[in-house]
Amino acid sequence: MGLPDRKDVPVHQTWDVGILYENDDAWQKDIEAEKKALSDFSKYDQKLNDPETIISALDNLGEMEVRMDQLGHYGFLQQSTDMTDPHYNQLLRILDQLEADYNAELAKYRAQIMDNDNETLDAVSDKRPDLGAAIREFKRIKKHRLSSEVESALSSIEPTLSSFEGIYTTCRAADMSFPDFEVDGKTYPLSFVLYENSYQYNPDHKLRHAAFKAFSKVLNQYKNTVAANYYAQVSKEKNMATLRGYDSVFDYLLDDQEVPREFFDRQIDVIIEKLGPVMQKYVKLIQKERGLDKLTFSDLQIDLDPEFAPKVPLDKAPEYISDAIKVLGPKYHDMIMKCFDERWVDFPANKGKETGGFETTPYGKHAYILMSWTDEMADVYTLVHELGHAGQEMLTNKTNHPLSCGVSTYIVEAPSTFNELLLTHALEEKSSDKRMQRFALTKMLTNTYYHNFVTHLLEAAFQREVYKLIDNGEGFDGDRLCEIKKAVLKKFWGDAVEIDDDAALTWMRQSHYYMGLYPYTYSASLTISTQAYLKIKEQGQPAIDAWLKFLKFDNCPAPIEAAKIAGVDITTDEPLQNTIKFLDKTVDRIAELTKEL
């Protein structure tokens, strides 16, 4: 049997968009209100040249941004749960046009604000500290902005310029058809979600390998189409970098992260050099314990001790989440635990639903989380990860002006990965049984660190090679991308893992490539969260208080200053080196427990 239609999934397991709008009519009414507000904004035209008027305009703009945010969420949340539904797709088309008009019209006003000298802009921050992050953003952007006419034109075609990720996800969720496959005379269903969330973890060697082969065969059929779409994405980014006067596409993509290029290169190079051997040591232990003749790429997600891997039905999820986050105190705990009763999360797997998982929070509302629950422990990690984002965004929105809520992607994954560490700690603390302790430690490696320090980091290493090609004026096709991915995987895994042509197709499995230089920030953020977690273990309440202060991102400081609030200095490689040492000790402890067992 395949996946059910959206109309057939249990409603109580879906998220509730009713807090946004009761129905489409209410949504349409707010669209008209937004159009009127946009028209009324013309009262600021050619008057944005003094702090008081700029403040008034930014407050007005903040109200419009909140409404636009809510309108957008109502549309794309529903479309992401069934990308084949023509009604939801039509809602997005309406939104795309509104956003195009909105951005094009407001571009000239933003330009007028940036026409002011820095002294005037700084006066805005002095009078209204809650607008400080927004003013810092204006000052950053103005260094590379174009004429008002060009900026307005670019804003008007932004939906088209941003369409490549949507094309990719539509291809993956709506067009890729995965046939059933057979093992020893038994037929098994296959889908993108089933492979990613279930089969790649399956302890049955023959079943796992057959699923990967069937999965990869379908990916291979689409590789040139997906590569062409990806080439359009990176070509756009290179053209924008050149248009705005950046020396390199890397400089353009890193600018909004507010960190130098050396942070990007350091994260990739140190992890490949130092963590590679640690992970090779761990997977060789798996190979030995599981009695495998060799390790292939499709074996990398299996458990060291699969007989001890408990299934987690959805009704047990609240218990796991509660145990994990209670260390952060009742206020944080109770806020997060509302996710179940208030239906923040969309759990079912159904036809047309976006794969993977994400979290998003409309300003002033609760968070929304998309995932597909398959009763695996990995699902608990996904949920606690996304709830980490939810807590940070809800606290940040509550603390900050709507225009000052933008957290740098360099640190945005810290709250989510921190919560994963709390989950591992709770699993480990719940039992003195050595087998349970080993299970908890292996889950930390295979979920938290493998996902963020390996999978996404190797995506970043792949990206670096792709963008080097683009910077040099070269192109690529599907086969070239496979060559690059294969080389990156071989460099990290050495002779410990066999990397074949199917493994080389892994670049087709993530939408992060359409988000600029985002993948490496998972490991950068996890470096911060690891050090903060270890401080809590050592210091207790003072470190907890520092972390909760960090989560609020008061006026959203730049990454270096934000990390310091959590007690971590990211200007050096010491936090990263210490994190890798922590992982090395973890692998050694797993090996010790294995011997004792």
Side-chain angles (χ1 to χ4, degrees):
M1 265 183 82
L3 294 172
D5 292 328
R6 180 66 180 179
K7 63 181 176 60
D8 296 324
V9 302
V11 173
H12 70 277
Q13 293 181 7
T14 66
W15 54 27
D16 178 16
V17 299
I19 68 160
L20 298 174
Y21 295 100
E22 184 179 354
N23 51 41
D24 289 359
D25 290 340
W27 180 74
Q28 187 64 51
K29 186 176 180 180
D30 237 12
I31 286 181
E32 298 307 314
E34 188 73 344
K35 290 178 179 178
K36 183 178 186 306
L38 183 60
S39 175
D40 291 345
F41 204 79
S42 61
K43 67 185 178 182
Y44 294 109
D45 193 19
Q46 304 303 321
K47 297 177 182 177
L48 295 166
N49 48 26
D50 69 89
E52 292 298 337
T53 306
I54 293 172
I55 288 171
S56 175
L58 291 180
D59 282 338
N60 197 333
L61 179 59
E63 294 173 2
M64 294 167 63
E65 289 280 291
V66 170
R67 183 162 48 237
M68 183 63 79
D69 187 33
Q70 190 162 311
L71 287 166
H73 276 86
Y74 182 80
F76 92 81
L77 286 174
Q78 295 183 88
Q79 195 262 357
S80 67
T81 62
D82 188 355
M83 300 174 74
T84 65
D85 190 307
H87 176 67
Y88 296 155
N89 289 328
Q90 178 58 23
L91 292 186
L92 279 193
R93 282 191 282 270
I94 294 171
L95 274 171
D96 283 346
Q97 186 57 56
L98 175 64
E99 288 176 354
D101 295 342
Y102 178 85
N103 290 328
E105 179 66 17
L106 289 179
K108 65 181 180 182
Y109 300 108
R110 292 190 175 100
Q112 289 175 28
I113 292 174
M114 288 184 280
D115 281 338
N116 291 281
D117 56 30
N118 284 348
E119 184 178 355
T120 301
L121 296 179
D122 289 340
V124 173
S125 296
D126 292 339
K127 290 176 178 289
R128 285 283 300 278
D130 62 321
L131 290 170
I135 294 301
R136 188 175 81 242
E137 179 75 354
F138 278 123
K139 290 168 67 176
R140 180 186 65 79
I141 292 173
K142 70 182 290 187
K143 295 176 184 177
H144 293 277
R145 75 185 179 97
L146 305 169
S147 68
S148 298
E149 293 78 11
V150 174
E151 291 290 356
S152 181
L154 288 174
S155 295
S156 69
I157 60 173
E158 177 58 29
T160 301
L161 295 176
S162 300
S163 65
F164 305 113
E165 181 185 357
I167 293 171
Y168 163 72
T169 55
T170 299
C171 175
R172 192 176 71 177
D175 289 345
M176 287 188 184
S177 178
F178 295 86
D180 296 347
F181 65 100
E182 189 175 298
V183 178
D184 292 336
K186 183 177 179 180
T187 300
Y188 295 87
L190 182 62
S191 69
F192 205 103
V193 171
L194 278 173
Y195 180 76
E196 293 256 311
N197 289 5
S198 182
Y199 289 127
Q200 68 174 333
Y201 305 107
N202 196 289
D204 186 323
H205 180 81
K206 187 179 288 188
L207 176 61
R208 186 174 65 252
H209 281 239
F212 184 61
K213 189 173 184 62
F215 178 71
S216 300
K217 183 177 181 180
V218 174
L219 292 184
N220 191 59
Q221 294 169 357
Y222 288 85
K223 69 179 177 184
N224 287 313
T225 298
V226 175
N229 185 60
Y230 182 41
Y231 181 72
Q233 167 74 19
V234 296
S235 295
K236 174 203 74 175
E237 291 167 333
K238 176 59 178 175
N239 289 331
M240 292 299 294
T242 302
L243 190 63
R244 294 190 177 282
Y246 290 90
D247 294 332
S248 163
V249 68
F250 290 100
D251 297 330
Y252 167 67
L253 294 173
L254 287 169
D255 190 34
D256 67 348
Q257 292 186 17
E258 299 183 279
V259 293
R261 168 77 182 272
E262 66 185 85
F263 280 30
F264 172 72
D265 288 326
R266 179 182 71 193
Q267 203 72 19
I268 295 172
D269 294 336
V270 171
I271 288 179
I272 288 179
E273 179 188 354
K274 301 289 187 180
L275 183 64
V278 174
M279 294 305 296
Q280 291 170 35
K281 179 169 61 173
Y282 175 67
V283 297
K284 285 178 179 177
L285 177 63
I286 290 180
Q287 181 182 1
K288 179 183 176 182
E289 288 300 303
R290 299 295 296 275
L292 301 176
D293 293 333
K294 63 179 180 179
L295 274 174
T296 68
F297 187 77
S298 61
D299 298 320
L300 290 176
Q301 298 280 11
I302 62 175
D303 289 323
L304 180 65
D305 185 4
E307 287 76 21
F308 197 74
K311 291 288 184 179
V312 184
L314 183 54
D315 61 1
K316 294 295 183 183
E319 179 183 342
Y320 281 95
I321 300 300
S322 177
D323 287 344
I325 64 175
K326 63 185 179 183
V327 68
L328 294 180
K331 287 185 68 175
Y332 180 89
H333 172 275
D334 294 348
M335 175 183 72
I336 294 299
M337 293 306 294
K338 291 179 181 178
C339 73
F340 297 102
D341 291 337
E342 295 182 357
R343 289 173 52 202
W344 300 4
V345 189
D346 200 88
F347 289 110
N350 59 259
K351 293 176 184 175
K353 183 176 178 178
E354 170 65 285
T355 61
F358 66 73
E359 178 278 340
T360 181
T361 302
Y363 189 90
K365 304 295 183 180
H366 67 58
Y368 285 91
I369 294 169
L370 180 139
M371 63 178 299
S372 297
W373 196 270
T374 60
D375 292 349
E376 301 289 342
M377 180 58 74
D379 298 331
V380 186
Y381 274 89
T382 297
L383 179 57
V384 83
H385 176 104
E386 301 302 346
L387 286 171
H389 283 307
Q392 175 259 303
E393 287 201 30
M394 291 171 68
L395 289 172
T396 299
N397 289 352
K398 187 176 182 180
T399 306
N400 293 277
H401 190 279
L403 300 182
S404 291
C405 286
V407 178
S408 167
T409 54
Y410 190 83
I411 55 176
V412 76
E413 294 293 342
S416 53
T417 53
F418 180 87
N419 273 18
E420 291 189 47
L421 293 173
L422 293 185
L423 175 59
T424 295
H425 182 75
L427 291 173
E428 192 178 6
E429 290 289 302
K430 244 187 169 182
S431 174
S432 60
D433 180 74
K434 290 182 179 180
R435 199 175 183 190
M436 182 63 200
Q437 291 176 352
R438 183 178 68 171
F439 171 80
L441 293 175
T442 57
K443 284 293 111 181
M444 181 177 74
L445 276 183
T446 57
N447 284 276
T448 304
Y449 287 95
Y450 185 92
H451 189 64
N452 298 293
F453 254 63
V454 179
T455 299
H456 293 320
L457 191 279
L458 296 184
E459 290 170 358
F462 166 82
Q463 280 187 301
R464 183 166 65 173
E465 299 308 310
V466 169
Y467 283 119
K468 284 179 182 178
L469 289 178
I470 298 302
D471 255 350
N472 291 332
E474 301 177 50
F476 55 75
D477 57 13
D479 287 335
R480 183 73 180 101
L481 293 180
C482 287
E483 289 175 14
I484 294 172
K485 188 63 179 182
K486 196 171 187 178
V488 167
L489 291 172
K490 284 186 173 182
K491 186 174 182 180
F492 184 83
W493 291 111
D495 62 0
V497 180
E498 180 183 282
I499 304 298
D500 61 14
D501 290 341
D502 286 345
L505 292 164
T506 307
W507 63 270
M508 296 179 64
R509 291 167 57 181
Q510 265 289 359
S511 59
H512 289 144
Y513 301 117
Y514 299 87
M515 303 176 187
L517 298 181
Y518 184 39
Y520 93 103
T521 64
Y522 281 91
S523 61
S525 295
L526 181 50
T527 300
I528 295 169
S529 58
T530 301
Q531 297 309 302
Y533 165 73
L534 294 175
K535 286 180 182 294
I536 286 177
K537 289 185 70 174
E538 295 167 4
Q539 302 172 11
Q541 194 61 47
I544 292 173
D545 294 340
W547 184 252
L548 291 172
K549 184 177 180 182
F550 169 80
L551 289 182
K552 295 178 181 179
F553 287 111
D554 192 15
N555 215 5
C556 290
I560 292 173
E561 289 71 33
K564 286 180 180 177
I565 295 173
V568 184
D569 182 5
I570 59 173
T571 61
T572 74
D573 68 354
E574 184 178 359
L576 178 55
Q577 296 281 6
N578 287 342
T579 299
I580 294 173
K581 289 176 183 176
F582 166 68
L583 293 176
D584 195 20
K585 291 179 180 177
T586 299
V587 171
D588 288 343
R589 178 58 181 155
I590 291 171
E592 290 173 10
L593 288 169
T594 300
K595 282 185 179 180
E596 293 173 11
L597 290 167

